[in-house]
Amino acid sequence: MRHEPTRRVTEVVEILAVAREPVSTTALARTLGASRTTLHAVVSELHARGWAEKAADGWIAGTALRTLARALGAEPDLARNARPALDTVVDRTGVAAAALQLRGDVVEVVDVVRGGVRTSSSSSAMPTGHTIPLRAPFVRDVAARLPAARREQWLGDGALPEAARARLEVVLPQVTRRGWSVDRLTPARRELLRMADALESSGVGPLVRDRVSELFAELSAIDVLDAELTERSDLAVFSVSAPVLGPGGVAVGSIAATPGRRMTGRAVIRTIEAVTGAAADVTARLGAITPAAPPPPARLRPMSP
C-alpha cells in the first residue's frame, strides 16, 4: 500500500535531481497532479533539510542532495567493470576469480567467474554477496593501499594473537611494496570457511562472527613472505589478490583468484601475474588513475634457497 506523502517527497526529489534549471511550485503541481499547497509544504521541508534550495525562478537541488549524488557517483562500479578482467584470469590460470569491493567496514564479493579443474570446491566459500571484515589480518592487499589513519584502524580492529601480530608486521610492508597478497589454506581454515558460510546464511549475531574471525587469524599462516615463494615451493593457497585503486592510489576493492588447493610455486607465480595484471586493467577501466604496470616476473621469483 502506497504512502501518499512519502510518494510526493520522492517524486519531488527525483525531479530536482535531474532538473537543469529551477522548477517552480506551479510546474511541480502541474507535472505531479498535486495541489500547490501540498507541494509547497514538501519543498519547504526539503529546503529545511538541505535537499532543496530556493532560486530566483523556483527550486533547485540543495547541498545535501548534491552531496549525496556526488558520493553515489564516486563509488566505483566493480560489478560492471571487472568481468573482462575476471575472464582473463580464468583463461590464463584455470582458477575461479572474483571482484571484491570495499564498502564501509567490509569488503564484498560483487562478481565471480567460475574456474575449471584447477579450482577446488572450497572456492565456493566466496560467492557473490560474501563479505570479509575490514580488520587485520584480512584483505591485506586492500589495507596496504588505504590512507594511514584507516590502515591503523584496520590493524587496531583485529584481535590478533601476539604471534600473528609479529608476523603481520613483517608481511604488510612486503604486501605494500609488491602489490599482491596470498591467503594460505590450512585444514583448520577449510573447516572454518564452511562454518563461516553457515553462520552468514543463518543470520547469527556479530559476536559469534567476530569470534570466527579471530579463529581465522589464529589458525592461518598469514600470507607468503618474499623468501618463502620460489618456483619449487609447495603451498596450500586459498586466494591470491591484488588491489583495485581509485583516486590518489587508494584501494577501492580487489581482484582475487581462489584456487583453494595446493599449488607449486611456479603456479602461484603465474596466478600472481594474472591477478596483478587484472587489477591494473580494472583500475584503468574505472578511469580513476593511471595504473602502474604489474610487477615483472623477475620480481616475483625470489632466489631459490
Side-chain angles (χ1 to χ4, degrees), residues 16-263:
L16 295 180
V18 298
R20 297 183 179 276
E21 57 187 23
V23 183
S24 68
T25 305
T26 301
L28 288 171
R30 184 169 56 249
T31 300
L32 299 177
S35 70
R36 291 181 72 256
T37 301
T38 296
L39 292 172
H40 179 75
V42 169
V43 294
S44 295
E45 181 62 24
L46 291 174
H47 178 254
R49 308 284 292 183
W51 287 67
E53 290 181 7
K54 191 73 173 72
D57 300 320
W59 297 94
I60 61 174
T63 302
L65 181 54
R66 293 196 301 271
T67 300
L68 177 62
R70 283 195 298 270
L72 293 176
E75 182 176 275
D77 189 352
L78 265 67
R80 182 182 299 273
N81 288 282
R83 178 54 68 95
L86 298 184
D87 287 336
T88 299
V89 171
V90 174
D91 289 344
R92 289 181 61 182
T93 67
V95 171
L100 299 92
Q101 184 156 350
L102 178 59
R103 288 181 170 155
D105 60 356
V106 300
V107 177
E108 180 181 353
V109 179
V110 294
D111 194 16
V112 176
V113 175
R114 291 181 176 274
V117 295
R118 297 179 185 175
T119 299
S120 166
S121 61
S122 65
S123 66
S124 62
M126 286 181 59
T128 301
H130 182 75
T131 59
I132 302 170
L134 185 64
R135 66 168 67 105
F138 307 111
V139 290
R140 293 172 297 280
D141 58 314
V142 172
R145 298 304 298 265
L146 292 177
R150 198 170 189 197
R151 190 165 59 249
E152 287 300 316
Q153 181 182 356
W154 168 84
L155 183 61
D157 286 346
L160 296 176
E162 191 60 35
R165 183 173 291 274
R167 170 80 175 187
L168 193 59
E169 288 176 355
V170 177
V171 163
L172 194 60
Q174 296 189 16
V175 172
T176 304
R177 173 184 51 78
R178 68 199 184 193
W180 51 265
S181 178
V182 173
D183 265 334
R184 308 278 280 275
L185 184 67
T186 65
R189 180 179 177 123
R190 192 186 299 269
E191 292 306 314
L192 280 171
L193 287 171
R194 296 193 182 101
M195 182 190 302
D197 267 354
L199 291 174
E200 189 166 331
S201 61
S202 67
V204 73
L207 290 178
V208 177
R209 287 198 303 269
D210 287 350
R211 181 52 186 154
V212 172
S213 295
E214 293 168 13
L215 289 172
F216 270 121
E218 292 172 9
L219 298 174
S220 297
I222 299 175
D223 219 298
V224 175
L225 297 174
D226 291 348
E228 295 172 346
L229 179 59
T230 71
E231 293 190 353
R232 292 180 295 178
S233 300
D234 179 25
L235 299 172
V237 177
F238 174 65
S239 67
V240 176
S241 56
V244 174
L245 306 179
V250 175
V252 296
S254 67
I255 299 297
T258 55
R261 62 179 178 83
R262 300 201 71 84
M263 303 174 72

